[in-house]
Amino acid sequence: MATTLSSGTGSSGSWREPDLPKGRVFAAPDYNQTKEQQREATMRRIWHLKSRGVFDGWLTDFGADAERRLLASLECLAIYDHSLSVKLGVHFCLWGGAIKFFGTKRHHDKWLKDTENYVVKGCFAMTELGHGSNVRGIETVATYDTNTGEFIINTPCESAQKYWIGGAANHATHTVIFAQLLMNGTSQGVHAFITQIRDADGNICPNIRIADCGHKIGLNGVDNGRIWFDNIRVPRENLLNSVADVLEDGRYVSSIKDPDQRFAAFLAPLTFGRVNIATTAVYISKVGLAIAVRYGLTRRAFSISPNGPEVLLLDYPSHQRRLLPLLAKTCAMSCAANYLKRIYLQRTQRQTKLSIYTLVL
Ligand SMILES: Cc1cc2nc3c(=O)[nH]c(=O)nc-3n(C[C@H](O)[C@H](O)[C@H](O)COP(=O)(O)OP(=O)(O)OC[C@H]3O[C@@H](n4cnc5c(N)ncnc54)[C@H](O)[C@@H]3O)c2cc1C
């Protein structure tokens, strides 16, 4: 049962940088830990890596080499602790990536360094209870108030609550909200806005409600949550405006007139996360298979002749039929993942629709 955390309370479990953790931060996983302990372990590991400068340049370096390094780092971490890799992926690739690729210079200057240093802890509120893969159908609404120069963002119904949002239940201080932008009663489609959801003490901001998604069958080191917005106000500058913008007088401007193409341009920067999920999935298959194959090559069971040696598990056809197709598939997927990474890193700026708006203006 999800616990609702009301605004203005510190019961959200704020997380501040502790003293450098003592003991074995990266000791082998303890499967008896509660989800709260697993979540704290994830944050301790993040702090440990941060204090050693591991994240330097993860967002503030640009270009293919920087992206290659980031992908490789997340893959290595996923081999050890999938929750750690996902929690970092949400903060750096979804929240940070949205700012880097949907945003423009003003957003980069304000947010990227603070994100890299964990001064802000970001999450990414796109999925809703009623709409996941069909992002275009989300129901959260943003309207522009010309009198104050702010957007008003609202969750109009229960199916519009943001759902599964990684980092929302405990630690995130900020989020990128995806909402339908209504200008003079006309929908301009899905747009992304930055907003604060908690203060530095962990108090949830006014007019925001957050609930914990609770225990999951895996990834319990990530605090997934649900978020409702009750007509919160967001400054105009917080619209991530690489594809479209709202001017001070309320005029909507975009270099892409076709809403379908505009939507595609919005989603293109999310490709990094998709590449990362695909490649880490292959590594996780490799870890599982390494354990199973090694066991099959060392453990013996039953002998064919009365006093003969026992047979290796992997010499049994039943064992081979189970493991070898998976091994072959994982090898093929590994080549495919490397190919995917290569074509992603060699993409042109035009393909990513990077800064289309600023290029044209
Ligand atoms: C652990 C976890 C962490 C997450 N973290 C985040 C996060 O940080 N931020 C965020 O915004 N989102 C997050 N998500 C949400 C994730 O992006 C969505 O789960 C994903 O987009 C799929 O949406 P959905 O779960 O609503 O399912 P959908 O894919 O929308 O499917 C809904 C239903 O429709 C069916 N269906 C889907 N497609 C078809 C089709 N073509 N034909 C027929 N039936 C179909 C499915 O079988 C399912 O029953 C997270 C999810 C999980 C599980």
Side-chain angles (χ1 to χ4, degrees):
M1 188 68 182
T3 319
T4 305
L5 308 161
S6 53
S7 59
T9 67
S11 57
S12 49
S14 82
W15 189 87
R16 284 171 181 279
E17 287 179 358
D19 293 335
L20 204 56
K22 309 263 185 313
R24 299 167 65 203
V25 180
F26 284 90
D30 174 355
Y31 296 109
N32 293 319
Q33 283 184 334
T34 63
K35 81 173 167 21
E36 285 74 21
Q37 288 170 324
Q38 291 182 56
R39 289 174 179 183
E40 285 312 302
T42 306
M43 286 311 286
R44 268 201 313 280
R45 286 170 181 169
I46 289 176
W47 169 229
H48 186 86
L49 296 170
K50 178 183 132 18
S51 65
R52 280 154 179 79
V54 170
F55 307 140
D56 293 353
W58 274 25
L59 282 172
T60 48
D61 288 351
F62 284 73
D65 273 351
E67 287 183 331
R68 197 176 286 117
R69 267 200 311 277
L70 177 53
L71 279 167
S73 306
L74 289 170
E75 286 160 17
C76 291
L77 291 168
I79 291 173
Y80 177 75
D81 176 354
H82 199 199
S83 282
L84 174 61
S85 172
V86 168
K87 182 98 174 173
L88 290 170
V90 170
H91 178 74
F92 283 100
C93 306
L94 294 181
W95 154 263
I99 290 170
K100 196 165 175 174
F101 297 118
F102 299 156
T104 49
K105 188 173 181 310
R106 68 174 186 239
H107 305 109
H108 298 169
D109 292 348
K110 184 165 179 189
W111 300 101
L112 290 186
K113 196 74 200 162
D114 277 357
T115 298
E116 212 168 84
N117 290 333
Y118 269 90
V119 175
V120 298
K121 298 172 204 80
C123 66
F124 183 84
M126 183 161 78
T127 303
E128 296 177 356
L129 179 60
H131 292 90
S133 296
N134 182 18
V135 178
R136 216 185 298 208
I138 60 170
E139 297 170 280
T140 302
V141 177
T143 42
Y144 184 64
D145 180 348
T146 27
N147 296 323
T148 61
E150 294 168 315
F151 293 103
I152 303 168
I153 299 183
N154 192 43
T155 305
C157 53
E158 276 306 283
S159 56
Q161 66 182 269
K162 295 295 178 184
Y163 208 93
W164 281 127
I165 310 308
N170 289 131
H171 302 128
T173 56
H174 291 73
T175 190
V176 172
I177 310 173
F178 286 78
Q180 303 285 353
L181 175 60
L182 277 186
M183 299 297 300
N184 303 318
T186 307
S187 174
Q188 296 293 351
V190 176
H191 289 66
F193 307 82
I194 294 173
T195 197
Q196 184 164 4
I197 56 172
R198 285 192 179 87
D199 65 20
D201 294 323
N203 298 304
I204 298 169
C205 295
N207 301 325
I208 292 178
R209 201 154 44 94
I210 296 181
D212 195 324
C213 287
H215 188 267
K216 306 188 288 289
I217 56 170
L219 278 184
N220 280 301
V222 182
D223 52 315
N224 291 91
R226 305 151 61 179
I227 316 178
W228 294 258
F229 303 101
D230 183 12
N231 291 312
I232 60 161
R233 288 186 167 264
V234 173
R236 186 180 66 88
E237 296 74 26
N238 285 20
L239 169 69
L240 293 172
N241 62 340
S242 70
V243 170
D245 206 355
V246 173
L247 304 182
E248 234 173 317
D249 59 10
R251 265 182 304 145
Y252 179 81
V253 287
S254 174
S255 57
I256 309 174
K257 298 294 165 230
D258 178 355
D260 287 345
Q261 280 184 15
R262 207 184 300 143
F263 180 71
F266 257 120
L267 291 198
L270 298 180
T271 310
F272 184 92
R274 293 178 174 140
V275 172
N276 175 234
I277 286 173
T279 51
T280 47
V282 174
Y283 277 101
I284 287 161
S285 302
K286 286 180 182 174
V287 171
L289 280 166
I291 295 167
V293 171
R294 202 175 290 140
Y295 178 73
L297 285 171
T298 50
R299 182 70 151 84
R300 293 172 182 273
F302 303 104
S303 46
I304 297 171
S305 53
N307 292 320
E310 287 188 301
V311 178
L312 266 183
L313 292 190
L314 208 57
D315 284 338
Y316 284 98
S318 58
H319 225 79
Q320 293 169 3
R321 272 200 298 273
R322 287 258 171 102
L323 285 181
L324 298 188
L326 292 176
L327 192 60
K329 188 174 175 183
T330 302
C331 289
M333 293 305 282
S334 182
C335 296
N338 284 336
Y339 177 67
L340 179 69
K341 263 197 286 192
R342 228 175 10 256
I343 53 175
Y344 174 72
L345 293 167
Q346 286 167 355
R347 74 198 184 281
T348 61
Q349 220 195 27
R350 185 159 186 76
Q351 282 165 330
T352 58
K353 307 285 196 295
L354 248 180
S355 303
I356 286 173
Y357 172 66
T358 34
L359 281 175
V360 173
L361 275 189

